[in-house]
Amino acid sequence: MTENNTMEQQPANGGSNLLAILGIIIVVGVVAFVMMRSSDAPEAPVQENTIIIPSETEDVELEATDEAETEDAMEEGVVEVEMEAGMFYFEPSVMEANLGDTVRITMTSVDMDHDFVLDEFDVQSEVIDGGETTTFEFVVDQLGEFEFYCSVGSHRQLGMVGTLVVEE
């Protein structure tokens, strides 16, 4: 009887081992299949999640075509700034103006809720959602360097700050 008990247990153990090996083969096969599918899948369009910043050449061309408008704005003491607000950054992060200038900022959020705050000039824009744009302006009446920031959540602490430099 001892021999029968031993023989009966062997197929059970052999069957368990066979099931374990079969399970491992299936898991490896599924992982291999998923990896092959992901490498064969077409790549997602890069431009959907990529911020395109014009090259210096494009900037020069834009400045050349808008030169008359820029000169008129400079004569009137208006500094126009096209600003991009993204995940914990402002672009540009440094702005320059002369004492008495009007600074007009057109800010576009590229990804989530953002605003613009500049305490020394009592400036706080509306909070805009990703894809939205807002325009606001203020007059600089103090000399120095001033920090502006996004007051949404912890964006400021995460580095979403910039500097306004005001000279004579």
Side-chain angles (χ1 to χ4, degrees), residues 36-83:
M36 288 175 55
R37 292 274 297 169
S38 66
S39 67
D40 291 342
E43 291 184 24
V46 175
Q47 291 184 340
E48 285 184 8
N49 296 322
T50 303
I51 300 167
I52 300 172
I53 300 173
S55 68
E56 290 181 25
T57 307
E58 290 175 299
D59 288 344
V60 171
E61 290 174 13
L62 289 174
E63 289 174 3
T65 57
D66 296 335
E67 190 173 327
E69 287 181 29
T70 303
E71 286 178 11
D72 289 342
M74 291 174 83
E75 288 176 20
E76 296 173 23
V78 176
V79 177
E80 297 271 352
V81 179
E82 295 286 327
M83 180 171 284

Side-chain angles (χ1 to χ4, degrees), residues 81-85 89-95 116 148 161-163:
V81 179
E82 295 286 327
M83 180 171 284
E84 182 177 285
Y89 71 90
F90 286 108
E91 181 62 41
S93 61
V94 177
M95 299 183 297
F116 177 98
F148 57 87
V161 297
T163 305

Side-chain angles (χ1 to χ4, degrees), residues 87-105:
M87 192 172 293
F88 318 127
Y89 71 90
F90 286 108
E91 181 62 41
S93 61
V94 177
M95 299 183 297
E96 296 179 354
N98 292 320
L99 188 64
D101 282 350
T102 297
V103 177
R104 182 175 302 130
I105 299 174

Side-chain angles (χ1 to χ4, degrees), residues 22 38 89 107 120 125 167:
L22 185 58
S38 66
Y89 71 90
M107 183 177 78
E120 292 82 1
S125 75
E167 300 174 341

Side-chain angles (χ1 to χ4, degrees), residues 74-151:
M74 291 174 83
E75 288 176 20
E76 296 173 23
V78 176
V79 177
E80 297 271 352
V81 179
E82 295 286 327
M83 180 171 284
E84 182 177 285
M87 192 172 293
F88 318 127
Y89 71 90
F90 286 108
E91 181 62 41
S93 61
V94 177
M95 299 183 297
E96 296 179 354
N98 292 320
L99 188 64
D101 282 350
T102 297
V103 177
R104 182 175 302 130
I105 299 174
T106 301
M107 183 177 78
T108 302
S109 172
V110 296
D111 53 18
M112 63 178 69
D113 291 354
H114 294 295
D115 68 354
F116 177 98
V117 178
L118 181 56
D119 293 326
E120 292 82 1
F121 297 96
D122 198 28
V123 176
Q124 181 160 6
S125 75
E126 64 181 312
V127 176
I128 57 173
D129 294 332
E132 291 184 349
T133 299
T134 186
T135 301
F136 52 94
E137 62 183 48
F138 57 95
V139 176
V140 291
D141 57 1
Q142 303 173 54
L143 293 173
E145 293 187 9
F146 307 94
E147 181 181 80
F148 57 87
Y149 59 93
C150 177
S151 70

